[in-house]
Structures are given as C-alpha cells and as structure tokens.
Amino acid sequence: MDTDSAFDEIRTLISQGRGAEAVDRVRDLATADPAPMTRIKCLSLLKVVGDSDVSKTILSMMMDSLPEDRETLIQIAGALRGLDFPSSAYSILKGIEQDDQVRTLMCMCLEDLEEYEMALEVLDSIQQPRPFDRVMRSEVLSALGNHKESVENAELLLAEMPDDFDVRRAYVSALMLAGRDKELTKFVRGCLKEKDADANALAAYAMRVLGNIKAAAGYATRAIKLDPRNVSAMETLGICLAHKGEYEKARIVAGAINEVSPGSKAALNVLSFCDGN
C-alpha cells in the first residue's frame, strides 16, 4: 500500500471511531516511511486521535534523522510549531542560518514557550519587520506587562492598516490585557457597523476574551454564515462549544478549521481546550 492510500485508510478508521487501530497504522507508517512530511502528517493525525505517547516516539525518530536542506528544515520547524511542538521547532531553527523568516518563526516558538523576554530580543533583531511581526510585538509586550507600550504599538498599526483583521484583533487584545474594556467595547461596536464576516468574527473574539461566551458564540455563528471559511470565527465557536461541554461538536469544528487552513494553530487551540476540560 502506498503512503497516500495508507493515510486514506487511517482517516477512515478515525472517522469510524476506531482510534486504537488508527494509532497502530500511524506508528507503522511513520516507521516504514522516514520522509519528514509523512511523519508530520502522522503527527497531525495523532493530534486528532489524542495519542501523545506515539507522537513522542515519532517526533524522536524525526529529530534523529533531520535532512540537511535549510528550506526543508524551516518547513519542518513551521509544521512542528503548528502541531504544538515549539521546543523541537525552536531547536531546529537555532541550528540554521538566521534571516528574518527564521527569526519570525523563532519568536512564535518562544511565545508558545512563554519565553517572552527572549521573544522580544528576537523581534528586535528582525531587520525588516512585517505587519505580522509588529502584531506579535504587541502580544509579547502585553505578556511582559508593558501594556501602555503594547497599546501604543497596536494603535500605530491600526492607523496604518485600519481594515486589517489581525491588526484589529491585536488592538482588542492589547486593550483587554490593559484593562481598558470600555474602549474595547466601543471599538468593536464601531467595527460592527460594517456588518461583514470579519467584524462579527472580531466581536466574537472580543466577547470570548471578556468571558461572554453566549454573545461570542452568536457573533461567531453570524460570521460563519457570512463567510464559512472564517478561521477566527470557527476558532471562537469551537472554544464556545467546548465551554458548554459539547466536546464532540467542538472537535468537528477543529476538523473543519484544519480543512480550511491545514496546520492552523486555531484548530489545535480548540482541541487543547477540549482536552483541558
């Protein structure tokens, strides 16, 4: 059986609820096919099944036989970080030639590891910061307790890119962590006048971080009706479902996120919330 057929068989086993059999097939496939991307796909499937022991075994096999090609290593590191293995991803990135792409990935890993001071140092070393890097700066500054600077950074971004969803979300996060809930609410209400999917997804995110799960689910549902591929809204809806104890529905949403955006951290966020409750 070729690799593609093996993956099809594993997905069928998972859909039939035969998780133990699926795990055995994943282990066999990862052992038989040492290609990094095959093992990455195996790790992704194990996230759905929830078998951490076999994941550790496959991850160890992969780390012991990494390729030498720099671009492939970056690809592997990015995939591992997306699969919630930031420490392994960071160790790969540290060992290769640095450029802005690598530094951005390193910072993302350090954020996941809650090494915020190191993340800020890496951000400062980026020679040509992209909007994504500048959004990440607000996140890191907030995590370090530098709320005033975080909000100021987000305000600068917002002035430059007022319609960018990620910039708006970063501004909402900075305001929330700074305890400026009234400003946050006013900003979101202003955005809702646009009545589009992104505005509703932003409102869903804001209500979720403020703890209003019912309102968050409502806005998320509205956003998805307007745009069925809106990952932020899907993430919020999945977490809201998990909040209500509807874990199976939440996992279905996580699967839908992965279909729309393979390897998205949003799907793992939903699954992690299911596992933690």
Side-chain angles (χ1 to χ4, degrees):
M1 182 182 296
D2 63 30
T3 299
D4 288 340
S5 298
F7 277 125
D8 287 340
E9 180 186 327
I10 292 165
R11 292 188 188 97
T12 298
L13 290 171
I14 292 172
S15 68
Q16 293 173 347
R18 297 158 64 184
E21 293 176 64
V23 169
D24 288 341
R25 290 291 294 117
V26 168
R27 183 195 296 109
D28 292 343
L29 179 57
T31 302
D33 187 347
M37 289 305 110
T38 296
R39 288 174 170 172
I40 289 290
K41 288 181 181 177
C42 287
L43 290 171
S44 179
L45 288 169
L46 289 174
K47 283 291 181 182
V48 177
V49 179
D51 193 301
S52 59
D53 290 337
V54 175
S55 292
K56 290 176 183 177
T57 300
I58 294 173
L59 178 62
S60 179
M61 288 192 296
M62 176 182 292
M63 295 300 288
D64 287 342
S65 58
L66 289 170
E68 295 183 1
D69 178 67
R70 180 177 180 276
E71 292 305 313
T72 303
L73 287 171
I74 292 172
Q75 186 179 7
I76 292 170
L80 288 177
R81 185 262 166 184
L83 289 168
D84 206 23
F85 298 111
S87 181
S88 297
Y90 184 70
S91 69
I92 292 173
L93 296 168
K94 280 200 308 180
I96 64 178
E97 181 184 352
Q98 307 292 296
D99 62 10
D100 283 354
Q101 179 190 14
V102 171
R103 293 185 187 103
T104 294
L105 267 175
M106 289 176 69
C107 185
M108 293 165 68
C109 293
L110 290 167
E111 255 200 299
D112 292 342
L113 294 166
E114 299 184 1
E115 294 286 354
Y116 300 115
E117 290 184 0
M118 290 175 63
L120 190 58
E121 289 179 9
V122 174
L123 276 172
D124 287 339
S125 72
I126 294 176
Q127 296 176 3
Q128 295 181 314
R130 299 171 302 154
F132 179 85
D133 300 316
R134 297 170 64 194
V135 165
M136 194 157 38
R137 177 176 288 276
S138 275
E139 297 171 354
V140 171
L141 288 169
S142 288
L144 288 169
N146 300 337
H147 299 301
K148 184 174 183 293
E149 192 177 348
S150 174
V151 172
E152 288 174 350
N153 181 72
E155 286 174 339
L156 285 173
L157 279 167
L158 194 62
E160 295 176 30
M161 294 170 281
D163 299 325
D164 186 276
F165 179 81
D166 291 329
V167 168
R168 288 179 169 186
R169 180 163 159 158
Y171 182 57
V172 165
S173 293
L175 288 175
M176 187 275 292
L177 291 168
R180 294 162 62 172
D181 294 358
K182 289 183 179 179
E183 292 173 66
L184 184 164
T185 303
K186 182 179 179 181
F187 174 71
V188 170
R189 283 176 180 165
C191 293
L192 279 171
K193 293 176 182 178
E194 298 166 13
K195 299 181 181 180
D196 60 10
D198 276 353
N200 280 279
L202 183 69
Y205 172 73
M207 292 301 101
R208 173 164 67 86
V209 297
L210 289 173
N212 190 338
I213 300 303
K214 183 177 180 180
Y219 282 120
T221 300
R222 193 176 306 164
I224 293 167
K225 285 181 179 178
L226 292 167
D227 176 13
R229 300 175 65 84
N230 192 299
V231 171
S232 179
M234 294 166 77
E235 177 185 14
T236 291
L237 180 60
I239 291 174
C240 289
L241 288 167
H243 255 294
K244 295 192 296 181
E246 298 182 25
Y247 302 121
E248 188 57 38
K249 290 182 180 179
R251 290 189 176 92
I252 290 171
V253 172
I257 293 172
N258 200 48
E259 287 293 323
V260 171
S261 181
S264 170
K265 194 76 171 172
L268 284 181
N269 289 342
V270 174
L271 291 172
S272 296
F273 201 93
C274 291
D275 294 340
N277 288 271

PDB file of all heavy atoms in Angstrom, residues 13-34:
ATOM      1  N   LEU A  13     -10.459   5.003   9.475  1.00  0.00           N
ATOM      2  CA  LEU A  13     -10.501   4.392  10.809  1.00  0.00           C
ATOM      3  C   LEU A  13     -10.882   5.432  11.867  1.00  0.00           C
ATOM      4  O   LEU A  13     -11.692   5.162  12.760  1.00  0.00           O
ATOM      5  CB  LEU A  13      -9.146   3.776  11.146  1.00  0.00           C
ATOM      6  CG  LEU A  13      -8.745   2.524  10.371  1.00  0.00           C
ATOM      7  CD1 LEU A  13      -7.288   2.159  10.664  1.00  0.00           C
ATOM      8  CD2 LEU A  13      -9.660   1.353  10.729  1.00  0.00           C
ATOM      9  N   ILE A  14     -10.312   6.629  11.744  1.00  0.00           N
ATOM     10  CA  ILE A  14     -10.618   7.687  12.709  1.00  0.00           C
ATOM     11  C   ILE A  14     -12.086   8.080  12.614  1.00  0.00           C
ATOM     12  O   ILE A  14     -12.773   8.242  13.640  1.00  0.00           O
ATOM     13  CB  ILE A  14      -9.707   8.912  12.474  1.00  0.00           C
ATOM     14  CG1 ILE A  14      -8.253   8.566  12.818  1.00  0.00           C
ATOM     15  CG2 ILE A  14     -10.170  10.094  13.314  1.00  0.00           C
ATOM     16  CD1 ILE A  14      -7.256   9.645  12.438  1.00  0.00           C
ATOM     17  N   SER A  15     -12.587   8.236  11.381  1.00  0.00           N
ATOM     18  CA  SER A  15     -13.987   8.639  11.194  1.00  0.00           C
ATOM     19  C   SER A  15     -14.951   7.581  11.722  1.00  0.00           C
ATOM     20  O   SER A  15     -16.086   7.890  12.106  1.00  0.00           O
ATOM     21  CB  SER A  15     -14.270   8.909   9.717  1.00  0.00           C
ATOM     22  OG  SER A  15     -14.209   7.708   8.956  1.00  0.00           O
ATOM     23  N   GLN A  16     -14.501   6.321  11.759  1.00  0.00           N
ATOM     24  CA  GLN A  16     -15.330   5.222  12.263  1.00  0.00           C
ATOM     25  C   GLN A  16     -15.197   5.037  13.767  1.00  0.00           C
ATOM     26  O   GLN A  16     -15.809   4.134  14.351  1.00  0.00           O
ATOM     27  CB  GLN A  16     -14.954   3.919  11.548  1.00  0.00           C
ATOM     28  CG  GLN A  16     -15.301   3.904  10.066  1.00  0.00           C
ATOM     29  CD  GLN A  16     -14.762   2.671   9.348  1.00  0.00           C
ATOM     30  OE1 GLN A  16     -13.934   1.927   9.886  1.00  0.00           O
ATOM     31  NE2 GLN A  16     -15.243   2.448   8.129  1.00  0.00           N
ATOM     32  N   GLY A  17     -14.381   5.879  14.396  1.00  0.00           N
ATOM     33  CA  GLY A  17     -14.190   5.790  15.839  1.00  0.00           C
ATOM     34  C   GLY A  17     -13.245   4.680  16.266  1.00  0.00           C
ATOM     35  O   GLY A  17     -13.200   4.322  17.446  1.00  0.00           O
ATOM     36  N   ARG A  18     -12.453   4.165  15.333  1.00  0.00           N
ATOM     37  CA  ARG A  18     -11.524   3.060  15.631  1.00  0.00           C
ATOM     38  C   ARG A  18     -10.132   3.646  15.895  1.00  0.00           C
ATOM     39  O   ARG A  18      -9.176   3.411  15.180  1.00  0.00           O
ATOM     40  CB  ARG A  18     -11.528   2.063  14.484  1.00  0.00           C
ATOM     41  CG  ARG A  18     -12.885   1.405  14.288  1.00  0.00           C
ATOM     42  CD  ARG A  18     -13.081   0.836  12.897  1.00  0.00           C
ATOM     43  NE  ARG A  18     -12.176  -0.249  12.583  1.00  0.00           N
ATOM     44  CZ  ARG A  18     -12.115  -0.844  11.393  1.00  0.00           C
ATOM     45  NH1 ARG A  18     -12.933  -0.430  10.413  1.00  0.00           N
ATOM     46  NH2 ARG A  18     -11.255  -1.805  11.173  1.00  0.00           N
ATOM     47  N   GLY A  19     -10.056   4.450  16.960  1.00  0.00           N
ATOM     48  CA  GLY A  19      -8.847   5.198  17.258  1.00  0.00           C
ATOM     49  C   GLY A  19      -7.620   4.344  17.512  1.00  0.00           C
ATOM     50  O   GLY A  19      -6.526   4.649  17.030  1.00  0.00           O
ATOM     51  N   ALA A  20      -7.779   3.250  18.259  1.00  0.00           N
ATOM     52  CA  ALA A  20      -6.638   2.388  18.594  1.00  0.00           C
ATOM     53  C   ALA A  20      -6.017   1.789  17.329  1.00  0.00           C
ATOM     54  O   ALA A  20      -4.789   1.732  17.193  1.00  0.00           O
ATOM     55  CB  ALA A  20      -7.072   1.278  19.553  1.00  0.00           C
ATOM     56  N   GLU A  21      -6.860   1.333  16.410  1.00  0.00           N
ATOM     57  CA  GLU A  21      -6.367   0.781  15.150  1.00  0.00           C
ATOM     58  C   GLU A  21      -5.665   1.863  14.331  1.00  0.00           C
ATOM     59  O   GLU A  21      -4.634   1.614  13.689  1.00  0.00           O
ATOM     60  CB  GLU A  21      -7.516   0.182  14.338  1.00  0.00           C
ATOM     61  CG  GLU A  21      -8.159  -1.049  14.958  1.00  0.00           C
ATOM     62  CD  GLU A  21      -9.353  -1.517  14.150  1.00  0.00           C
ATOM     63  OE1 GLU A  21      -9.151  -1.926  12.988  1.00  0.00           O
ATOM     64  OE2 GLU A  21     -10.488  -1.454  14.658  1.00  0.00           O
ATOM     65  N   ALA A  22      -6.224   3.062  14.358  1.00  0.00           N
ATOM     66  CA  ALA A  22      -5.625   4.173  13.615  1.00  0.00           C
ATOM     67  C   ALA A  22      -4.237   4.493  14.145  1.00  0.00           C
ATOM     68  O   ALA A  22      -3.293   4.715  13.368  1.00  0.00           O
ATOM     69  CB  ALA A  22      -6.524   5.409  13.704  1.00  0.00           C
ATOM     70  N   VAL A  23      -4.095   4.488  15.461  1.00  0.00           N
ATOM     71  CA  VAL A  23      -2.790   4.777  16.077  1.00  0.00           C
ATOM     72  C   VAL A  23      -1.759   3.736  15.649  1.00  0.00           C
ATOM     73  O   VAL A  23      -0.611   4.069  15.324  1.00  0.00           O
ATOM     74  CB  VAL A  23      -2.913   4.825  17.612  1.00  0.00           C
ATOM     75  CG1 VAL A  23      -1.536   4.855  18.269  1.00  0.00           C
ATOM     76  CG2 VAL A  23      -3.714   6.048  18.045  1.00  0.00           C
ATOM     77  N   ASP A  24      -2.157   2.459  15.644  1.00  0.00           N
ATOM     78  CA  ASP A  24      -1.238   1.391  15.216  1.00  0.00           C
ATOM     79  C   ASP A  24      -0.793   1.600  13.769  1.00  0.00           C
ATOM     80  O   ASP A  24       0.390   1.430  13.438  1.00  0.00           O
ATOM     81  CB  ASP A  24      -1.918   0.020  15.353  1.00  0.00           C
ATOM     82  CG  ASP A  24      -2.077  -0.401  16.805  1.00  0.00           C
ATOM     83  OD1 ASP A  24      -1.363   0.156  17.667  1.00  0.00           O
ATOM     84  OD2 ASP A  24      -2.938  -1.272  17.078  1.00  0.00           O
ATOM     85  N   ARG A  25      -1.739   1.974  12.905  1.00  0.00           N
ATOM     86  CA  ARG A  25      -1.396   2.180  11.496  1.00  0.00           C
ATOM     87  C   ARG A  25      -0.488   3.402  11.333  1.00  0.00           C
ATOM     88  O   ARG A  25       0.422   3.405  10.513  1.00  0.00           O
ATOM     89  CB  ARG A  25      -2.674   2.370  10.668  1.00  0.00           C
ATOM     90  CG  ARG A  25      -3.514   1.125  10.525  1.00  0.00           C
ATOM     91  CD  ARG A  25      -2.809   0.069   9.653  1.00  0.00           C
ATOM     92  NE  ARG A  25      -2.680   0.529   8.274  1.00  0.00           N
ATOM     93  CZ  ARG A  25      -1.512   0.737   7.663  1.00  0.00           C
ATOM     94  NH1 ARG A  25      -0.365   0.558   8.314  1.00  0.00           N
ATOM     95  NH2 ARG A  25      -1.481   1.134   6.397  1.00  0.00           N
ATOM     96  N   VAL A  26      -0.734   4.437  12.120  1.00  0.00           N
ATOM     97  CA  VAL A  26       0.120   5.632  12.065  1.00  0.00           C
ATOM     98  C   VAL A  26       1.539   5.272  12.479  1.00  0.00           C
ATOM     99  O   VAL A  26       2.511   5.671  11.826  1.00  0.00           O
ATOM    100  CB  VAL A  26      -0.443   6.754  12.971  1.00  0.00           C
ATOM    101  CG1 VAL A  26       0.588   7.869  13.136  1.00  0.00           C
ATOM    102  CG2 VAL A  26      -1.720   7.325  12.377  1.00  0.00           C
ATOM    103  N   ARG A  27       1.678   4.523  13.548  1.00  0.00           N
ATOM    104  CA  ARG A  27       3.007   4.116  14.023  1.00  0.00           C
ATOM    105  C   ARG A  27       3.737   3.312  12.957  1.00  0.00           C
ATOM    106  O   ARG A  27       4.920   3.559  12.669  1.00  0.00           O
ATOM    107  CB  ARG A  27       2.892   3.285  15.300  1.00  0.00           C
ATOM    108  CG  ARG A  27       4.256   2.896  15.895  1.00  0.00           C
ATOM    109  CD  ARG A  27       4.158   1.787  16.922  1.00  0.00           C
ATOM    110  NE  ARG A  27       3.383   2.182  18.091  1.00  0.00           N
ATOM    111  CZ  ARG A  27       2.172   1.726  18.409  1.00  0.00           C
ATOM    112  NH1 ARG A  27       1.551   0.867  17.587  1.00  0.00           N
ATOM    113  NH2 ARG A  27       1.568   2.112  19.503  1.00  0.00           N
ATOM    114  N   ASP A  28       3.033   2.371  12.342  1.00  0.00           N
ATOM    115  CA  ASP A  28       3.647   1.538  11.305  1.00  0.00           C
ATOM    116  C   ASP A  28       4.076   2.383  10.108  1.00  0.00           C
ATOM    117  O   ASP A  28       5.169   2.191   9.549  1.00  0.00           O
ATOM    118  CB  ASP A  28       2.660   0.461  10.838  1.00  0.00           C
ATOM    119  CG  ASP A  28       2.372  -0.571  11.923  1.00  0.00           C
ATOM    120  OD1 ASP A  28       3.158  -0.638  12.895  1.00  0.00           O
ATOM    121  OD2 ASP A  28       1.363  -1.291  11.796  1.00  0.00           O
ATOM    122  N   LEU A  29       3.232   3.327   9.710  1.00  0.00           N
ATOM    123  CA  LEU A  29       3.529   4.156   8.549  1.00  0.00           C
ATOM    124  C   LEU A  29       4.730   5.051   8.811  1.00  0.00           C
ATOM    125  O   LEU A  29       5.618   5.194   7.954  1.00  0.00           O
ATOM    126  CB  LEU A  29       2.305   5.007   8.187  1.00  0.00           C
ATOM    127  CG  LEU A  29       2.463   5.960   6.992  1.00  0.00           C
ATOM    128  CD1 LEU A  29       2.873   5.205   5.741  1.00  0.00           C
ATOM    129  CD2 LEU A  29       1.163   6.717   6.753  1.00  0.00           C
ATOM    130  N   ALA A  30       4.779   5.663   9.996  1.00  0.00           N
ATOM    131  CA  ALA A  30       5.892   6.558  10.332  1.00  0.00           C
ATOM    132  C   ALA A  30       7.210   5.805  10.411  1.00  0.00           C
ATOM    133  O   ALA A  30       8.279   6.357  10.109  1.00  0.00           O
ATOM    134  CB  ALA A  30       5.617   7.261  11.656  1.00  0.00           C
ATOM    135  N   THR A  31       7.157   4.543  10.795  1.00  0.00           N
ATOM    136  CA  THR A  31       8.366   3.715  10.862  1.00  0.00           C
ATOM    137  C   THR A  31       8.814   3.290   9.471  1.00  0.00           C
ATOM    138  O   THR A  31      10.012   3.292   9.163  1.00  0.00           O
ATOM    139  CB  THR A  31       8.108   2.465  11.732  1.00  0.00           C
ATOM    140  OG1 THR A  31       7.693   2.862  13.040  1.00  0.00           O
ATOM    141  CG2 THR A  31       9.374   1.614  11.842  1.00  0.00           C
ATOM    142  N   ALA A  32       7.845   2.953   8.623  1.00  0.00           N
ATOM    143  CA  ALA A  32       8.169   2.455   7.278  1.00  0.00           C
ATOM    144  C   ALA A  32       8.594   3.559   6.324  1.00  0.00           C
ATOM    145  O   ALA A  32       9.416   3.335   5.430  1.00  0.00           O
ATOM    146  CB  ALA A  32       6.965   1.706   6.703  1.00  0.00           C
ATOM    147  N   ASP A  33       8.046   4.763   6.488  1.00  0.00           N
ATOM    148  CA  ASP A  33       8.334   5.877   5.583  1.00  0.00           C
ATOM    149  C   ASP A  33       8.994   7.013   6.369  1.00  0.00           C
ATOM    150  O   ASP A  33       8.317   7.762   7.072  1.00  0.00           O
ATOM    151  CB  ASP A  33       7.043   6.371   4.927  1.00  0.00           C
ATOM    152  CG  ASP A  33       7.297   7.424   3.839  1.00  0.00           C
ATOM    153  OD1 ASP A  33       8.427   7.940   3.775  1.00  0.00           O
ATOM    154  OD2 ASP A  33       6.362   7.716   3.072  1.00  0.00           O
ATOM    155  N   PRO A  34      10.316   7.156   6.258  1.00  0.00           N
ATOM    156  CA  PRO A  34      11.026   8.168   7.051  1.00  0.00           C
ATOM    157  C   PRO A  34      10.938   9.594   6.502  1.00  0.00           C
ATOM    158  O   PRO A  34      11.521  10.510   7.090  1.00  0.00           O
ATOM    159  CB  PRO A  34      12.474   7.671   7.002  1.00  0.00           C
ATOM    160  CG  PRO A  34      12.585   6.990   5.676  1.00  0.00           C
ATOM    161  CD  PRO A  34      11.250   6.342   5.446  1.00  0.00           C
TER     162      PRO A  34
END
